[in-house]
Amino acid sequence: MSFHVTSNRFISLLLAITQLGSGIILLALSSWFIAACALAGHAGVLAGFNYVIPATVIRFLAVVRIFSSYFEKYFGHISLLAELTDIRHRLLLTTFQGQSDINAADTAAILQEDSERVAGRWSAIYNPLAGALASIAGMSLIFAMLIPELLFSWAILLAILCAMTAVFSYLNQRAHGSVLAAYEFYYQQQHQWLSVSTLWHLRQDWITGEAVKNAADALFKARQRQHQLMHITETLIIVTGFSWPLWIIAELFDSVSPSAVWAIPLVLSASVRDWFMPIVGAFDQRTKLLPSARRVWQHSQPVEQSLITERADINEDTHSLQTAHSLQRANSLILKEVRWQRNQMQGTAISFDITKPGCYLISASSGTGKSSLFNALCGELNFSGEAWLNGVSLAQLTQQERSELIFYAEQFAHVFSDTLRQNLTMVCQPITEVSADDLNNALEWAELGHWAGDDQLRTWLGSEGKPISGGEKKRLSLARAYLSDRPIWLLDEPFEGLDSQLAEKLASKLSQISEDKIIVIASHIRPASLKLTEQLAF
């Protein structure tokens, strides 16, 4: 991690402590000031009471609290974005270089949700926790200096609150596990329901989607139980905080003469939610972070070295696996009774022999499993049967090796929240060697010439960036394929969403580039300019 990110973290941490600490001091001083004014008025000495200094300090603390809150968020978000960039860059390199065995069905969630949660751990966990602990230490120091008689009861209060937090953390972990299990079950039911969409009319429960509704209800109830656990814990903490002054009054007021400083513990106990709930919130975020951190860590781990290293006849140590693959041409892709498998489901057996470069079309209706077949060839789904790529069994290739040979353009291309340049170069290896000319050429080839240029390459895409149509997503995916320069392309519905003129232009370009590549197209649209080597039966 760079010094810049580390310094921003440290500054945001100090500002978080300053924010909560100044708030606690502000409450303590304000309560003392109000009580002191009341006692001075009651004693008839209000005219001689110096209220200027306390009032000035109170206003100063209020300003400090406001500014520290704003700047803590500012520096915290700077460090968050910098670390998020670093995490996603590493994850994308791992994904597109094929150095991970993680199923690609989870890749989008890992790149977006999990990476954001891991990158935001300082703002969500460490900063609130440090601020709350520093505030508790400050309050303990105040009581030790001004009201030492309260230390024992104060320690008891903290012990009770800590016990509540420990119980909450245990129950929250179990509740969160139930939520994750409910999510998985819901998505499984949803996928099974959608996969039989052509048969819905045969069964009433398929028409109504009863299984999906029940899974959604179970998920809602699991999330509701987790939210209720947080609300119950918060309520118990507030009740405990308000009960503490009653104990103080019952135990100490008879033996200790009260003064204005006694207003401090009364007000601080009433504000227990402000200075203790950040600790509970930090443990809640930690529970949600742990599964995300495990997935990010697992996704970042490289797989073992490939068997191809043993097969490749490379005598010089300087030759890498990437060099060996880059010298390979697309010679053959042969399938024998291949069936993709997803949980308990499996696809229709398919066999074909592709023995030379060219453009090959799989034409079948929607829902027949063309996308699942491509997922299986890329290693994202298991499959039965036999498949050979350039004479080598796919079963012997690691995910890294497959990704270096095969580019898969999904039916619904994913656009990441990043610049156009990064959305293109994420498929290249190494990224630093891709020039602006290479990117512009790829955009021109994919009929996205209006996006070419240095200024356009810096355009931000994704949900918060430039809106992109479905056709532009298709062409962006083709530009990625062109940049990857991999010998085998699997294109899922590349002409869908394009007007006839664009589809004809791209079909012509695919026909030309297929002279030294194997391009397998799954599509129900066949432009006239698409010169097929063979139409494959599905």
Side-chain angles (χ1 to χ4, degrees):
M1 192 59 62
S2 66
F3 173 77
H4 180 67
V5 175
T6 304
S7 61
N8 283 331
R9 277 182 182 173
F10 181 71
I11 293 173
S12 66
L13 182 65
L14 289 180
L15 289 171
I17 295 174
T18 302
Q19 176 197 354
L20 194 51
S22 60
I24 295 301
I25 298 174
L26 180 62
L27 279 175
L29 186 58
S30 299
S31 59
W32 169 84
F33 182 57
I34 294 172
C37 289
L39 291 177
H42 181 71
V45 295
L46 185 59
F49 182 73
N50 187 354
Y51 64 87
V52 176
I53 295 178
T56 303
V57 174
I58 289 172
R59 286 178 174 83
F60 173 74
L61 289 172
V63 172
V64 169
R65 185 171 184 268
I66 293 172
F67 276 90
S68 60
S69 173
Y70 285 132
F71 282 100
E72 184 269 332
K73 291 179 174 59
Y74 172 75
F75 285 102
H77 277 83
I78 288 178
S79 62
L80 183 150
L81 292 174
E83 185 169 8
L84 184 60
T85 300
D86 178 69
I87 291 175
R88 286 181 174 174
H89 182 259
R90 287 187 285 109
L91 289 172
L92 287 171
L93 282 178
T94 304
T95 300
F96 288 102
Q97 294 174 7
Q99 295 174 351
S100 173
D101 283 332
I102 298 296
N103 191 304
D106 299 327
T107 299
I110 294 173
L111 287 171
Q112 292 188 342
E113 300 171 11
D114 294 332
S115 62
E116 186 171 344
R117 188 171 288 126
V118 171
R121 66 190 182 277
W122 279 86
S123 297
I125 300 176
Y126 301 139
N127 287 3
L129 191 61
L133 293 177
S135 299
I136 291 174
M139 287 186 285
S140 301
L141 183 61
I142 291 174
F143 294 153
M145 295 175 59
L146 301 179
I147 319 174
E149 297 86 357
L150 286 181
L151 285 179
F152 177 73
S153 60
W154 172 247
I156 296 296
L157 173 63
L158 293 180
I160 294 173
L161 295 177
C162 291
M164 288 183 181
T165 305
V167 173
F168 165 79
S169 180
Y170 171 74
L171 296 178
N172 191 45
Q173 287 182 12
R174 298 186 58 180
H176 190 63
S178 299
V179 170
L180 294 179
Y183 262 119
E184 183 176 355
F185 181 70
Y186 168 71
Y187 288 128
Q188 181 181 4
Q189 292 297 316
Q190 186 184 56
H191 175 76
Q192 291 178 355
W193 182 58
L194 293 175
S195 65
V196 295
S197 58
T198 57
L199 307 175
W200 283 353
H201 62 283
L202 299 179
R203 289 175 51 174
Q204 181 64 29
D205 60 329
W206 284 352
I207 295 176
T208 60
E210 195 65 29
V212 178
K213 290 181 180 178
N214 293 337
D217 289 340
L219 173 59
F220 173 77
K221 291 177 181 178
R223 294 187 63 182
Q224 193 175 42
R225 285 192 295 269
Q226 189 176 23
H227 289 314
Q228 288 175 346
L229 178 62
M230 173 64 80
H231 294 322
I232 291 172
T233 303
E234 182 178 358
T235 302
L236 290 175
I237 287 175
I238 293 174
V239 170
T240 303
F242 274 91
S243 301
W244 186 53
L246 301 179
W247 183 22
I248 295 175
I249 294 173
E251 294 293 327
L252 299 177
F253 266 36
D254 292 337
S255 58
V256 179
S257 57
S259 63
V261 294
W262 282 88
I264 297 176
L266 301 179
V267 173
L268 291 180
S269 62
S271 62
V272 63
R273 180 184 179 279
D274 296 322
W275 53 263
F276 196 82
M277 278 305 295
I279 296 178
V280 178
F283 276 92
D284 178 50
Q285 292 297 322
R286 176 183 177 274
T287 299
K288 297 174 181 177
L289 169 70
L290 289 177
S292 296
R294 293 191 192 100
R295 286 190 291 267
V296 169
W297 179 85
Q298 185 180 8
H299 194 76
S300 303
Q301 300 308 301
V303 297
E304 295 181 0
Q305 286 296 321
S306 167
L307 295 175
I308 280 194
T309 305
E310 301 175 4
R311 293 191 299 268
D313 186 14
I314 302 176
N315 297 323
E316 299 180 15
D317 294 337
T318 56
H319 284 116
S320 63
L321 181 61
Q322 178 189 357
T323 305
H325 279 165
S326 65
L327 296 176
Q328 291 183 350
R329 287 173 52 85
N331 298 322
S332 64
L333 177 62
I334 300 174
L335 305 187
K336 298 295 183 183
E337 297 294 318
V338 170
R339 298 175 183 264
W340 56 264
Q341 297 175 338
R342 181 186 286 112
N343 298 325
Q344 303 301 319
M345 302 174 57
Q346 64 177 1
T348 304
I350 182 172
S351 301
F352 58 71
D353 290 0
I354 297 176
T355 57
K356 62 180 180 179
C359 202
Y360 299 83
L361 177 67
I362 298 177
S363 182
S365 59
S366 178
T368 53
K370 303 186 298 295
S371 301
S372 297
L373 173 64
F374 285 173
N375 284 327
L377 295 179
C378 292
E380 299 169 6
L381 289 178
N382 294 325
F383 67 88
S384 61
E386 298 179 343
W388 293 274
L389 176 59
N390 288 357
V392 179
S393 173
L394 281 182
Q396 295 180 323
L397 300 181
T398 65
Q399 189 72 18
Q400 178 181 355
E401 293 160 358
R402 293 195 200 192
S403 68
E404 291 174 354
L405 294 169
I406 301 174
F407 181 88
Y408 173 35
E410 299 174 310
Q411 181 177 0
F412 304 103
H414 187 76
V415 179
F416 295 94
S417 294
D418 211 323
T419 62
L420 172 59
R421 175 186 291 273
Q422 292 299 326
N423 267 277
L424 290 169
T425 56
M426 59 181 59
V427 299
C428 303
Q429 182 181 11
I431 287 179
T432 53
E433 294 184 3
V434 181
S435 67
D437 289 339
D438 293 332
L439 301 178
N440 291 329
N441 290 338
L443 292 171
E444 293 283 356
W445 183 88
E447 297 296 326
L448 288 171
H450 57 287
W451 284 6
D454 292 340
D455 292 338
Q456 294 290 344
L457 289 173
R458 290 192 291 268
T459 302
W460 194 269
L461 305 182
S463 58
E464 302 298 328
K466 177 182 179 179
I468 299 178
S469 66
E472 287 174 329
K473 289 182 180 180
K474 293 286 185 185
R475 285 175 281 164
L476 176 62
S477 184
L478 290 176
R480 290 170 176 167
Y482 184 86
L483 276 172
S484 71
D485 197 30
R486 293 170 191 169
I488 296 178
W489 294 6
L490 305 180
L491 308 182
D492 195 354
E493 298 290 353
F495 309 116
E496 190 178 46
L498 303 179
D499 59 51
S500 58
Q501 184 178 6
L502 270 177
E504 293 293 344
K505 289 183 179 179
L506 288 172
S508 177
K509 292 181 177 181
L510 288 172
S511 300
Q512 294 174 7
I513 205 171
S514 65
E515 294 178 359
D516 62 348
K517 298 182 185 297
I518 292 177
I519 299 180
V520 183
I521 301 173
S523 176
H524 63 279
I525 301 173
R526 180 179 175 180
S529 59
L530 184 64
K531 298 180 181 179
L532 293 179
T533 306
E534 182 182 348
Q535 182 163 341
L536 305 175
F538 192 85

